[in-house]
């Protein structure tokens, strides 16, 4: 893949996870729930759902991912963490809505 599609994909996942995380944080009155959800639920479900267990082991499957896949995952995690940090700073700032 070229640089521009990878960049657009990374920014898209960052913005998507930031937005979903921000909304979840506001509705559930949590701070770090989206980051935990991303690491404990979303990543394992995605890895498990595309894994052909009859053809390869888990480590072979994880090594078959390309750099683009890992960059996308890291940017999604960064968006989830930044949404928690943003909500935390807004609450410290005195905004009761968040």
């Amino acid at each position: 893949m070229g640089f521009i599609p990878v960049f657009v994909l990374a920014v898209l996942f960052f913005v998507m996870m930031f937005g979903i995380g921000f909304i979840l944080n506001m509705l559930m009155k949590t701070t770090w729930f989206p980051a935990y959800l991303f690491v404990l639920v979303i990543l394992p479900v995605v890895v498990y759902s595309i894994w052909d267990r009859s053809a390869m082991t888990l480590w072979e499957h994880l090594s078959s991912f390309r750099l683009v896949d890992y960059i996308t995952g890291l940017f999604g995690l960064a968006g989830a963490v930044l949404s928690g940090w943003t909500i935390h700073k807004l609450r410290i700032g005195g905004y009761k809505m968040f």
Side-chain angles (χ1 to χ4, degrees):
M1 283 185 118
F3 174 74
I4 293 177
V6 171
F7 180 73
V8 169
L9 185 65
V11 170
L12 178 69
F13 269 77
F14 178 82
V15 170
M16 181 179 67
M17 285 308 299
F18 180 84
I20 292 170
F22 195 85
I23 291 169
L24 279 176
N25 282 329
M26 281 195 317
L27 294 176
M28 297 178 64
K29 298 291 184 185
T30 64
T31 303
W32 302 109
F33 176 71
Y36 297 142
L37 180 73
F38 188 81
V39 171
L40 297 176
V41 176
I42 295 174
L43 285 180
V45 165
V46 167
V47 168
Y48 187 76
S49 67
I50 61 175
W51 176 27
D52 183 16
R53 289 166 289 290
S54 64
M56 62 182 74
T57 65
L58 176 63
W59 298 114
E60 290 172 343
H61 175 61
L62 291 176
S63 67
S64 69
F65 289 136
R66 303 279 184 230
L67 182 62
V68 174
D69 303 320
Y70 289 112
I71 288 173
T72 303
L74 285 175
F75 271 75
L77 179 62
V81 169
L82 190 63
S83 71
W85 182 80
T86 304
I87 288 288
H88 180 71
K89 290 298 177 187
L90 287 169
R91 288 185 185 144
I92 288 174
Y95 291 96
K96 303 291 184 216
M97 178 181 167
F98 303 108

